[in-house]
Amino acid sequence: MTLKSNSPVLAFYQQCLPFSLLTEAQQQFAESHSHIAYFAKADNTVAVNYSQPQLYLVRSGAFELRSDQGQLIDRLGEGDYFGFPSLLTGDKVSNQVRIIEDGLVYVLSETGFNQLCSESREFQRFFNRQQATRLRHQQRFSSRDHSSTIKLKTVMSTPVQRIASSATVQQAAQQMAQAGISALLIEEADNCGIITDRDLRNRVLAQGLSLDTPVAQVMTSKPVCADAGVMVFEAQLLMAQADIHHLPVREQDKLVGIVTSSDLLRLERTELPNLASLLAQAEDVAALVQLSLQFMPLLQQMIAADARAEEVGRVLTLLADAVTQRLTQLAIKQLGEPPMAWCWLCFGSQARMDMAGQSDQDNGLLLERDPNEAEASYFAEFAQIVCDGLNACGYIYCPGNIMASNPKLRVPVELWQRKFNYWLEQPDPNATLNASVFFDLRPLAGRRELGQQLHQWLIEQPKSPLFLAHLTGHALQNSPPLGFFRQWLLEENGQQQKSLDLKRRGLLLINDIARLHALSCGSEEVNTLKRLQAAMAAGALTRNDALNLADAHEFIGHLRLSNQGKQWQAGEPLSNNLVPDSLSELSRHQLKLAFRVAQRGQDGIGLRYRRQL
């Protein structure tokens, strides 16, 4: 399409980096060497002609940049670019550009691009930085090799060796010997289990059983399993806590592989090879405190490996989970067996599994029934031991007293249900504040079925439009730190510097948006990214909006963790505050885009849920 004299391209160039850095004459030159292209979703991909390279600037629509193996490299929306790597290097680029939504694209010719690069160092630097960022993204998606973030499905042994439960132990031993393996899985309509070489030693030979003994008699029924998509580090913690050496792997409710402790040990390339087992075996609080000192070096390693914020947050949460679970075991060791069933609940970031380098504790205790005076005294001491231990390990006491040591949060099922009902039916400011914290709930230790039943009950309770409207009002009390003309709205931090609160002004906003949509559509998910996916599946969010919010959450989270890593290295207190001048121009630009996404998400929940006020 040929441009007309009053085309909107110039106006867009004047507000879009790096064209906004050019002189007016250079912007007009860019306009004169540009044309408009339209790409329809039905075409699936953009037919980029890399033999005649051009710069493509997205004016509207949504696109995905993928490698030639189909791996996601970047998601592109308004103001984003593609095609420039071939302009910078002169090489043919094999990346695919997929069309997610119909869009208009402004296309700058190779002649125009090269001329502007020669005239403006800032223009050329911008695209060089963009290229470096793309390469980091591609590596992040395709070749992450930090042992903590490798997915279990990439290291499991598959296909698995199976045997019938009616087979004899001699047949099982022969099959293991022939295949050179140490375990067999049993997966039948009415029977699921695992038999290992250790079972043959301890349950057959040591007990003097016959070689004709059926496998069903000595196998472990309903074994601990892991999902194929979990991280290796999570599997390590799970195996250490359960004291097992073989972990069956499930995918879509089918056993698809198996991982052994030896498999995981061979993967270790960090300075923390035994951290999972050491946490599970710590003899006292002092030992846990010493182990917790290694968490920040692990954070540094993961940041250096360019791990995603989602993965780093999950690992940090798993560490907090392991510390909490061991503290509950140490409390029982000190106090004796509990007088009734109980479940330790975590709330907030630990429930969402997005903890950072500095997190306070948010927890409660769910009791099976109303305790008598002696039982209440036991659980009061139990909760105090765990909360004190968490504080000693760096998970500081909650300033709002949202802790199991608070007797109001150490109550039976009926009282928890009464609390939630009050918050649902009386949505005053305090109730909506509580809902924003306590509706992010995850059972962590003890009889988890109690917590799962409470969470399921909560999901099934009707969420009135008035409740959602009040919760929206609370979610809109804070806004992204953007003023007129997208300038920063800075706040004083602890060092009297002007800074951005990445948590309060960014991450929490997206958490609030995701929680609202999840509660509205009845999703059981607690993790923010999974809530966004559930909202997209339910039609509460478009695919483009959900992906943009997920990307914004990832980008802000990554900056927050990187900044905390720098603070730790400098011996400074960890905080969520970032001085924007410490960022490159490109990172500041990307951060503003991320905040704009959060702002549009807030506009969306305001229109959708506030009509009842």
Side-chain angles (χ1 to χ4, degrees):
M1 184 186 299
T2 304
L3 298 177
K4 297 181 180 179
S5 57
N6 294 323
S7 118
V9 177
L10 178 60
F12 192 66
Y13 280 169
Q14 288 171 340
Q15 66 179 0
C16 186
L17 277 172
F19 292 90
S20 59
L21 303 175
L22 300 175
T23 65
E24 185 176 351
Q26 289 169 332
Q27 291 168 348
Q28 291 172 346
F29 172 83
E31 178 194 20
S32 68
H33 284 75
S34 300
H35 69 273
I36 299 175
Y38 173 78
F39 297 104
K41 181 179 179 181
D43 295 333
N44 192 32
T45 60
V46 177
V48 179
N49 184 357
Y50 288 111
S51 62
Q52 295 181 331
Q54 303 174 102
L55 177 70
Y56 298 78
L57 168 59
V58 179
R59 180 63 182 89
S60 64
F63 302 83
E64 285 183 349
L65 186 67
R66 292 184 175 269
S67 70
D68 53 359
Q69 289 85 30
Q71 294 165 323
L72 178 66
I73 298 173
D74 210 350
R75 295 190 178 100
L76 310 176
E78 179 181 329
D80 291 326
Y81 305 85
F82 59 92
F84 60 86
S86 59
L87 289 166
L88 295 172
T89 65
D91 298 329
K92 181 178 178 180
V93 179
S94 57
N95 292 334
Q96 303 172 7
V97 181
R98 295 186 182 176
I99 306 167
I100 307 304
E101 292 183 0
D102 295 355
L104 286 177
V105 175
Y106 298 159
V107 185
L108 176 66
S109 69
E110 180 180 14
T111 301
F113 181 87
N114 289 337
Q115 180 68 27
L116 292 172
C117 283
S118 66
E119 293 181 4
S120 171
R121 291 184 63 190
E122 283 301 314
F123 187 89
Q124 184 178 33
R125 275 184 195 154
F126 178 90
F127 287 104
N128 284 332
R129 293 192 200 107
Q130 287 268 19
Q131 170 70 345
T133 301
R134 286 271 170 86
L135 290 172
R136 285 200 305 274
H137 283 184
Q138 185 163 7
Q139 183 179 24
R140 188 180 301 168
F141 280 106
S142 62
S143 60
R144 303 181 202 115
D145 61 357
H146 194 280
S147 64
S148 295
T149 60
I150 294 173
K151 297 297 185 290
L152 205 55
K153 62 185 175 183
T154 66
V155 300
M156 67 185 183
S157 298
T158 188
V160 292
Q161 291 274 339
R162 291 176 166 83
I163 194 168
S165 61
S166 58
T168 67
V169 294
Q170 183 177 30
Q171 290 172 325
Q174 290 170 341
Q175 187 172 337
M176 287 186 205
Q178 290 169 0
I181 57 176
S182 57
L184 296 170
L185 295 180
I186 297 91
E187 189 175 25
E188 301 168 342
D190 57 349
N191 221 342
C192 174
I194 183 173
I195 183 168
T196 69
D197 53 0
R198 189 161 65 163
D199 293 332
L200 295 176
R201 291 193 306 270
N202 297 343
R203 299 177 182 178
V204 179
L205 295 177
Q207 301 300 321
L209 297 183
S210 166
L211 295 180
D212 293 329
T213 301
V215 166
Q217 187 174 326
V218 297
M219 73 181 190
T220 299
S221 297
K222 298 180 180 178
V224 174
C225 297
D227 186 81
V230 306
M231 295 181 293
V232 162
F233 190 77
E234 188 169 356
Q236 290 172 308
L237 287 171
L238 183 62
M239 293 173 73
Q241 290 160 2
D243 191 24
I244 58 176
H245 299 277
H246 298 81
L247 183 66
V249 181
R250 285 190 178 278
E251 192 166 43
Q252 297 180 347
D253 294 327
K254 292 184 178 180
L255 293 174
V256 294
I258 192 167
V259 171
T260 69
S261 53
S262 298
D263 294 333
L264 300 185
L265 283 174
R266 283 193 292 270
L267 282 174
E268 288 297 347
R269 291 188 289 273
T270 72
E271 296 177 0
L272 307 169
N274 300 313
L275 184 56
S277 59
L278 290 173
L279 288 169
Q281 298 168 13
E283 289 296 322
D284 51 32
V285 174
L288 285 173
V289 170
Q290 288 302 308
L291 289 170
S292 68
L293 296 177
Q294 301 181 56
F295 296 172
M296 282 305 296
L298 175 60
L299 171 62
Q300 290 293 92
Q301 290 177 21
M302 296 183 70
I303 291 172
D306 209 18
R308 299 187 66 204
E310 174 193 3
E311 295 170 332
V312 177
R314 187 171 183 86
V315 168
L316 293 177
T317 303
L318 290 169
L319 291 169
D321 287 357
V323 171
T324 306
Q325 289 160 350
R326 188 55 182 157
L327 284 168
T328 63
Q329 294 166 354
L330 292 174
I332 292 173
K333 186 177 179 181
Q334 178 178 335
L335 301 175
E337 287 299 317
M340 70 176 77
W342 57 276
C343 179
W344 190 271
L345 304 174
C346 62
F347 305 107
S349 62
Q350 189 172 6
R352 294 190 302 269
M353 303 201 78
D354 61 8
M355 298 182 77
Q358 180 193 47
S359 296
D360 60 0
Q361 53 178 294
D362 294 310
N363 49 59
L365 195 56
L366 172 63
L367 303 180
E368 182 182 28
R369 54 175 171 78
D370 197 21
N372 59 34
E373 185 175 346
E375 292 168 339
S377 177
Y378 175 97
F379 284 111
E381 194 171 354
F382 175 91
Q384 197 64 55
I385 290 171
V386 178
C387 291
D388 288 347
L390 287 170
N391 184 69
C393 291
Y395 305 102
I396 61 174
Y397 297 121
C398 174
N401 203 22
I402 302 175
M403 296 181 291
S405 54
N406 178 352
K408 294 180 180 179
L409 301 180
R410 195 173 60 247
V411 295
V413 176
E414 292 77 8
L415 280 182
W416 277 110
Q417 291 177 338
R418 200 178 304 167
K419 288 177 185 289
F420 282 116
N421 267 329
Y422 176 79
W423 297 331
L424 287 167
E425 295 170 4
Q426 304 291 331
D428 56 39
N430 286 333
T432 51
L433 175 61
N434 285 327
S436 68
V437 175
F438 291 101
F439 280 51
D440 293 357
L441 174 158
R442 183 165 60 90
L444 185 55
R447 188 179 293 177
R448 298 190 193 185
E449 302 84 55
L450 289 175
Q452 291 164 353
Q453 290 166 8
L454 175 64
H455 187 238
Q456 187 61 41
W457 172 89
L458 176 60
I459 296 302
E460 293 172 355
Q461 299 310 297
K463 314 300 186 299
S464 71
L466 184 60
F467 167 76
L468 294 174
H470 278 281
L471 198 58
T472 302
H474 172 78
L476 298 180
Q477 288 180 358
N478 287 315
S479 58
L482 296 173
F484 291 110
F485 306 111
R486 303 301 181 190
Q487 297 302 307
W488 299 120
L489 294 177
L490 302 177
E491 307 170 78
E492 296 282 354
N493 66 14
Q495 288 74 46
Q496 303 304 309
Q497 291 178 294
K498 295 288 187 179
S499 63
L500 303 169
D501 189 330
L502 296 178
K503 179 180 177 181
R504 186 168 64 91
R505 295 285 196 168
L507 295 172
L508 290 186
L509 306 186
I510 300 175
N511 291 341
D512 289 340
I513 293 165
R515 182 187 305 109
L516 257 167
H517 288 309
L519 290 174
S520 173
C521 66
S523 170
E524 298 179 4
E525 300 293 352
V526 177
N527 175 266
T528 293
L529 299 184
K530 290 184 178 180
R531 280 174 164 172
L532 292 173
Q533 292 170 357
M536 179 177 66
L541 283 172
T542 67
R543 185 178 189 277
N544 191 50
D545 287 343
L547 293 178
N548 284 341
L549 285 166
D551 284 346
H553 194 272
E554 168 64 31
F555 183 78
I556 298 172
H558 195 271
L559 281 184
R560 175 198 188 193
L561 290 167
S562 297
N563 191 52
Q564 288 186 340
K566 293 174 185 175
Q567 291 170 337
W568 180 77
Q569 281 187 318
E572 300 171 356
L574 301 189
S575 76
N576 300 303
N577 297 96
L578 173 71
V579 178
D581 288 345
S582 66
L583 299 175
S584 67
E585 181 181 355
L586 175 59
S587 292
R588 287 197 298 271
H589 170 66
Q590 292 172 321
L591 183 56
K592 285 181 180 179
L593 291 178
F595 282 138
R596 284 169 59 189
V597 168
Q599 197 168 56
R600 287 196 293 268
Q602 285 194 312
D603 293 342
I605 60 173
L607 290 171
R608 189 178 183 93
Y609 299 115
R610 292 205 76 185
R611 290 170 292 183
Q612 299 298 318
L613 291 181

